[in-house]
Amino acid sequence: MRRQLDPELTGHRIVAVHATPQRRFIAVERAAGHQVLGVGRRGKFLVCTLNDHFELIVHLGMTGSLRFDHTDTYARAQFLLDDGRTLIFRDVRRFGRLAVVPAGRYDAIPALANMGPEPLSDQFAVAAFAAELARSSAPVKALLLGQRAVAGVGNIYADEALWRAGVHPGARHLGPRRAQRLHGAIRDVLGEAIEHDGTTFRDYQGLSGASGGNAPFLSAYGRRGLPCLSCSTLLRTLVVAGRTSTYCPRCQRR
DNA sequence: CACGCCTCCTGTGCGC
DNA sequence: TGCGCACAGGAGGCGT
């Protein structure tokens, strides 16, 4: 989404903002009058740099999407641009977040303030990741979803990375070997998913409404009852950290 | 502080 | 066909 949005927004001025009041919106109207200098990303948050040292923060939640000029009953916010286009934030379940904040001031957005390293950057170091996994008493899946040990991993990619690394989602206090395998699997899974323009399982749509191309490459998520692609054992699910987790009982032992 | 459960929202798909 | 229930790419709040 960031890659699609950046060339469309950068250099344009937001001339007006209309947002329906939502508890998860913060000062969205303050984007009006500001020019977009670039679109970045931290974890699952889009960070649009505005002039005058402001940022427009966007989190799509589970069902959020951004589209130009496609309004309907689920349009929660509209950003009118200086060229006449309107960027629409659509969000059926209203779990998405919008905020305009002074650049870098994330105290009202704790998930962003406490975000761990970017998984595809050099900041994501094996040693520090392994130390976190060894220290924490929570199941590894909870750590992955927590955004603190590593940024940007959600339920789909957590299951994919754990399957690829051969690590049980409920495992605790991972040792260095499993930590290293998981570290590599996270990078591989996310890198490939981005190459395929994201995973559309239900709702995800890109800026033009197109689905992502990564779903056919999923090995674990959504494959409960289907044979493991590695050993043909039927995949099972259990709930870890409040989320359904699909795993191979043979390849992924506690 | 860390962990685990509950909550916020609305739609969809299933069994009965 | 209609109803009720379980469940869905997330993260924040609260109790322990």
Short mmCIF file of all heavy atoms in Angstrom, two decimals, chain B residues 11-16, chain C residues 1-7:
data_model
loop_
_atom_site.label_atom_id
_atom_site.label_comp_id
_atom_site.label_asym_id
_atom_site.label_seq_id
_atom_site.Cartn_x
_atom_site.Cartn_y
_atom_site.Cartn_z
P DG B 11 -22.66 -4.14 8.19
OP1 DG B 11 -22.94 -3.20 7.11
OP2 DG B 11 -23.71 -4.55 9.14
"O5'" DG B 11 -22.01 -5.44 7.56
"C5'" DG B 11 -20.78 -5.33 6.88
"C4'" DG B 11 -20.23 -6.70 6.56
"O4'" DG B 11 -19.84 -7.36 7.77
"C3'" DG B 11 -21.23 -7.61 5.85
"O3'" DG B 11 -20.56 -8.19 4.73
"C2'" DG B 11 -21.59 -8.65 6.90
"C1'" DG B 11 -20.35 -8.68 7.78
N9 DG B 11 -20.63 -9.03 9.17
C8 DG B 11 -21.51 -8.42 10.02
N7 DG B 11 -21.52 -8.94 11.22
C5 DG B 11 -20.58 -9.96 11.15
C6 DG B 11 -20.15 -10.87 12.14
O6 DG B 11 -20.52 -10.96 13.31
N1 DG B 11 -19.17 -11.73 11.65
C2 DG B 11 -18.68 -11.71 10.38
N2 DG B 11 -17.74 -12.62 10.09
N3 DG B 11 -19.06 -10.86 9.44
C4 DG B 11 -20.01 -10.02 9.89
P DT B 12 -21.37 -9.06 3.70
OP1 DT B 12 -20.84 -8.70 2.39
OP2 DT B 12 -22.82 -9.01 3.98
"O5'" DT B 12 -20.85 -10.51 4.09
"C5'" DT B 12 -19.46 -10.73 4.23
"C4'" DT B 12 -19.21 -12.17 4.61
"O4'" DT B 12 -19.46 -12.34 6.02
"C3'" DT B 12 -20.09 -13.19 3.89
"O3'" DT B 12 -19.28 -14.28 3.50
"C2'" DT B 12 -21.11 -13.59 4.95
"C1'" DT B 12 -20.27 -13.47 6.21
N1 DT B 12 -21.02 -13.23 7.47
C2 DT B 12 -20.68 -13.96 8.59
O2 DT B 12 -19.79 -14.80 8.58
N3 DT B 12 -21.40 -13.66 9.71
C4 DT B 12 -22.42 -12.72 9.84
O4 DT B 12 -22.99 -12.55 10.90
C5 DT B 12 -22.72 -12.01 8.63
C7 DT B 12 -23.80 -10.98 8.65
C6 DT B 12 -22.02 -12.29 7.52
P DG B 13 -19.77 -15.31 2.39
OP1 DG B 13 -18.74 -15.26 1.33
OP2 DG B 13 -21.19 -15.04 2.07
"O5'" DG B 13 -19.67 -16.71 3.12
"C5'" DG B 13 -18.59 -16.96 4.00
"C4'" DG B 13 -18.98 -18.09 4.92
"O4'" DG B 13 -19.72 -17.56 6.05
"C3'" DG B 13 -19.89 -19.15 4.28
"O3'" DG B 13 -19.48 -20.43 4.71
"C2'" DG B 13 -21.27 -18.78 4.81
"C1'" DG B 13 -20.92 -18.29 6.20
N9 DG B 13 -21.91 -17.39 6.79
C8 DG B 13 -22.62 -16.41 6.16
N7 DG B 13 -23.42 -15.75 6.97
C5 DG B 13 -23.22 -16.35 8.21
C6 DG B 13 -23.80 -16.07 9.46
O6 DG B 13 -24.64 -15.22 9.75
N1 DG B 13 -23.30 -16.91 10.45
C2 DG B 13 -22.36 -17.90 10.25
N2 DG B 13 -22.00 -18.61 11.31
N3 DG B 13 -21.81 -18.17 9.07
C4 DG B 13 -22.28 -17.36 8.11
P DC B 14 -19.91 -21.74 3.87
OP1 DC B 14 -18.66 -22.31 3.33
OP2 DC B 14 -21.04 -21.39 2.97
"O5'" DC B 14 -20.47 -22.69 5.00
"C5'" DC B 14 -19.69 -22.92 6.18
"C4'" DC B 14 -20.61 -23.11 7.36
"O4'" DC B 14 -21.29 -21.87 7.61
"C3'" DC B 14 -21.72 -24.12 7.12
"O3'" DC B 14 -21.32 -25.37 7.69
"C2'" DC B 14 -22.93 -23.55 7.85
"C1'" DC B 14 -22.49 -22.18 8.31
N1 DC B 14 -23.47 -21.11 8.04
C2 DC B 14 -24.21 -20.59 9.10
O2 DC B 14 -24.03 -21.04 10.24
N3 DC B 14 -25.11 -19.60 8.87
C4 DC B 14 -25.28 -19.14 7.63
N4 DC B 14 -26.16 -18.17 7.45
C5 DC B 14 -24.53 -19.67 6.53
C6 DC B 14 -23.65 -20.64 6.77
P DG B 15 -22.22 -26.71 7.47
OP1 DG B 15 -21.30 -27.85 7.53
OP2 DG B 15 -23.09 -26.50 6.28
"O5'" DG B 15 -23.16 -26.71 8.74
"C5'" DG B 15 -22.59 -26.59 10.05
"C4'" DG B 15 -23.70 -26.54 11.08
"O4'" DG B 15 -24.39 -25.26 10.96
"C3'" DG B 15 -24.75 -27.62 10.91
"O3'" DG B 15 -25.16 -28.09 12.20
"C2'" DG B 15 -25.88 -26.91 10.18
"C1'" DG B 15 -25.77 -25.49 10.72
N9 DG B 15 -26.22 -24.46 9.79
C8 DG B 15 -25.91 -24.36 8.45
N7 DG B 15 -26.45 -23.32 7.87
C5 DG B 15 -27.15 -22.70 8.89
C6 DG B 15 -27.95 -21.52 8.86
O6 DG B 15 -28.17 -20.77 7.91
N1 DG B 15 -28.49 -21.23 10.11
C2 DG B 15 -28.30 -21.99 11.24
N2 DG B 15 -28.89 -21.57 12.35
N3 DG B 15 -27.56 -23.09 11.27
C4 DG B 15 -27.03 -23.39 10.07
P DC B 16 -26.23 -29.31 12.35
OP1 DC B 16 -25.86 -30.06 13.56
OP2 DC B 16 -26.32 -30.00 11.05
"O5'" DC B 16 -27.61 -28.56 12.61
"C5'" DC B 16 -27.74 -27.74 13.76
"C4'" DC B 16 -29.09 -27.07 13.77
"O4'" DC B 16 -29.12 -26.07 12.71
"C3'" DC B 16 -30.27 -28.02 13.51
"O3'" DC B 16 -31.29 -27.80 14.47
"C2'" DC B 16 -30.75 -27.63 12.10
"C1'" DC B 16 -30.37 -26.17 12.04
N1 DC B 16 -30.17 -25.66 10.67
C2 DC B 16 -30.74 -24.41 10.32
O2 DC B 16 -31.35 -23.79 11.18
N3 DC B 16 -30.56 -23.94 9.06
C4 DC B 16 -29.87 -24.65 8.17
N4 DC B 16 -29.73 -24.14 6.94
C5 DC B 16 -29.30 -25.91 8.50
C6 DC B 16 -29.47 -26.36 9.74
P DT C 1 -34.96 -18.78 -1.16
OP1 DT C 1 -35.77 -18.15 -2.20
OP2 DT C 1 -33.51 -18.72 -1.23
"O5'" DT C 1 -35.43 -18.26 0.27
"C5'" DT C 1 -36.78 -18.01 0.45
"C4'" DT C 1 -37.05 -17.79 1.92
"O4'" DT C 1 -36.75 -19.00 2.66
"C3'" DT C 1 -36.17 -16.69 2.55
"O3'" DT C 1 -37.02 -15.88 3.37
"C2'" DT C 1 -35.14 -17.45 3.37
"C1'" DT C 1 -35.89 -18.71 3.73
N1 DT C 1 -35.01 -19.91 3.92
C2 DT C 1 -35.14 -20.66 5.07
O2 DT C 1 -35.94 -20.37 5.93
N3 DT C 1 -34.32 -21.73 5.15
C4 DT C 1 -33.38 -22.16 4.22
O4 DT C 1 -32.70 -23.14 4.41
C5 DT C 1 -33.28 -21.34 3.05
C7 DT C 1 -32.30 -21.69 1.98
C6 DT C 1 -34.08 -20.26 2.95
P DG C 2 -36.39 -14.71 4.28
OP1 DG C 2 -37.46 -13.72 4.53
OP2 DG C 2 -35.10 -14.29 3.71
"O5'" DG C 2 -36.11 -15.49 5.63
"C5'" DG C 2 -37.20 -16.03 6.36
"C4'" DG C 2 -36.75 -16.30 7.78
"O4'" DG C 2 -35.96 -17.52 7.79
"C3'" DG C 2 -35.84 -15.21 8.37
"O3'" DG C 2 -36.19 -15.02 9.73
"C2'" DG C 2 -34.44 -15.77 8.19
"C1'" DG C 2 -34.68 -17.27 8.34
N9 DG C 2 -33.73 -18.13 7.63
C8 DG C 2 -33.24 -17.94 6.36
N7 DG C 2 -32.41 -18.88 5.99
C5 DG C 2 -32.36 -19.75 7.08
C6 DG C 2 -31.63 -20.95 7.26
O6 DG C 2 -30.87 -21.51 6.47
N1 DG C 2 -31.88 -21.51 8.52
C2 DG C 2 -32.72 -20.97 9.46
N2 DG C 2 -32.83 -21.65 10.59
N3 DG C 2 -33.40 -19.85 9.29
C4 DG C 2 -33.18 -19.29 8.08
P DC C 3 -35.48 -13.95 10.65
OP1 DC C 3 -36.52 -13.23 11.40
OP2 DC C 3 -34.49 -13.22 9.83
"O5'" DC C 3 -34.70 -14.89 11.66
"C5'" DC C 3 -35.41 -15.93 12.32
"C4'" DC C 3 -34.47 -16.67 13.22
"O4'" DC C 3 -33.64 -17.55 12.40
"C3'" DC C 3 -33.52 -15.78 14.01
"O3'" DC C 3 -33.53 -16.17 15.36
"C2'" DC C 3 -32.17 -15.97 13.33
"C1'" DC C 3 -32.28 -17.36 12.72
N1 DC C 3 -31.52 -17.55 11.46
C2 DC C 3 -30.73 -18.69 11.30
O2 DC C 3 -30.67 -19.52 12.21
N3 DC C 3 -30.05 -18.86 10.14
C4 DC C 3 -30.13 -17.95 9.17
N4 DC C 3 -29.45 -18.16 8.04
C5 DC C 3 -30.93 -16.77 9.32
C6 DC C 3 -31.60 -16.61 10.47
P DG C 4 -32.77 -15.33 16.52
OP1 DG C 4 -33.60 -15.37 17.74
OP2 DG C 4 -32.36 -14.04 15.91
"O5'" DG C 4 -31.47 -16.21 16.76
"C5'" DG C 4 -31.62 -17.62 16.95
"C4'" DG C 4 -30.26 -18.22 17.15
"O4'" DG C 4 -29.64 -18.45 15.85
"C3'" DG C 4 -29.28 -17.33 17.93
"O3'" DG C 4 -28.56 -18.14 18.84
"C2'" DG C 4 -28.40 -16.71 16.85
"C1'" DG C 4 -28.39 -17.81 15.78
N9 DG C 4 -28.24 -17.32 14.42
C8 DG C 4 -28.77 -16.18 13.88
N7 DG C 4 -28.48 -16.01 12.62
C5 DG C 4 -27.70 -17.12 12.31
C6 DG C 4 -27.09 -17.50 11.09
O6 DG C 4 -27.13 -16.91 10.00
N1 DG C 4 -26.39 -18.69 11.20
C2 DG C 4 -26.29 -19.43 12.35
N2 DG C 4 -25.58 -20.55 12.29
N3 DG C 4 -26.86 -19.09 13.51
C4 DG C 4 -27.54 -17.93 13.41
P DC C 5 -27.46 -17.54 19.84
OP1 DC C 5 -27.60 -18.18 21.16
OP2 DC C 5 -27.46 -16.06 19.70
"O5'" DC C 5 -26.14 -18.10 19.14
"C5'" DC C 5 -26.12 -19.46 18.71
"C4'" DC C 5 -24.81 -19.71 18.01
"O4'" DC C 5 -24.89 -19.22 16.65
"C3'" DC C 5 -23.62 -19.01 18.66
"O3'" DC C 5 -22.55 -19.92 18.82
"C2'" DC C 5 -23.29 -17.88 17.70
"C1'" DC C 5 -23.77 -18.43 16.36
N1 DC C 5 -24.19 -17.39 15.39
C2 DC C 5 -23.82 -17.51 14.05
O2 DC C 5 -23.16 -18.50 13.71
N3 DC C 5 -24.20 -16.55 13.17
C4 DC C 5 -24.92 -15.52 13.58
N4 DC C 5 -25.27 -14.60 12.67
C5 DC C 5 -25.30 -15.37 14.95
C6 DC C 5 -24.92 -16.31 15.81
P DA C 6 -21.26 -19.55 19.67
OP1 DA C 6 -21.05 -20.59 20.69
OP2 DA C 6 -21.34 -18.12 20.05
"O5'" DA C 6 -20.14 -19.70 18.55
"C5'" DA C 6 -20.21 -20.79 17.63
"C4'" DA C 6 -19.18 -20.57 16.55
"O4'" DA C 6 -19.71 -19.64 15.56
"C3'" DA C 6 -17.87 -19.97 17.05
"O3'" DA C 6 -16.78 -20.59 16.38
"C2'" DA C 6 -18.00 -18.49 16.69
"C1'" DA C 6 -18.84 -18.53 15.43
N9 DA C 6 -19.68 -17.34 15.24
C8 DA C 6 -20.37 -16.64 16.19
N7 DA C 6 -21.05 -15.63 15.71
C5 DA C 6 -20.79 -15.66 14.35
C6 DA C 6 -21.21 -14.85 13.29
N6 DA C 6 -22.03 -13.80 13.43
N1 DA C 6 -20.77 -15.15 12.05
C2 DA C 6 -19.96 -16.21 11.90
N3 DA C 6 -19.49 -17.05 12.83
C4 DA C 6 -19.95 -16.72 14.05
P DC C 7 -15.29 -20.23 16.83
OP1 DC C 7 -14.51 -21.47 16.72
OP2 DC C 7 -15.31 -19.44 18.08
"O5'" DC C 7 -14.84 -19.24 15.67
"C5'" DC C 7 -15.06 -19.61 14.32
"C4'" DC C 7 -14.78 -18.42 13.44
"O4'" DC C 7 -15.90 -17.52 13.48
"C3'" DC C 7 -13.56 -17.60 13.90
"O3'" DC C 7 -12.60 -17.59 12.87
"C2'" DC C 7 -14.12 -16.21 14.19
"C1'" DC C 7 -15.41 -16.20 13.38
N1 DC C 7 -16.43 -15.27 13.90
C2 DC C 7 -17.12 -14.43 13.01
O2 DC C 7 -16.85 -14.51 11.81
N3 DC C 7 -18.05 -13.57 13.48
C4 DC C 7 -18.31 -13.53 14.80
N4 DC C 7 -19.23 -12.67 15.21
C5 DC C 7 -17.62 -14.37 15.72
C6 DC C 7 -16.70 -15.22 15.24
#
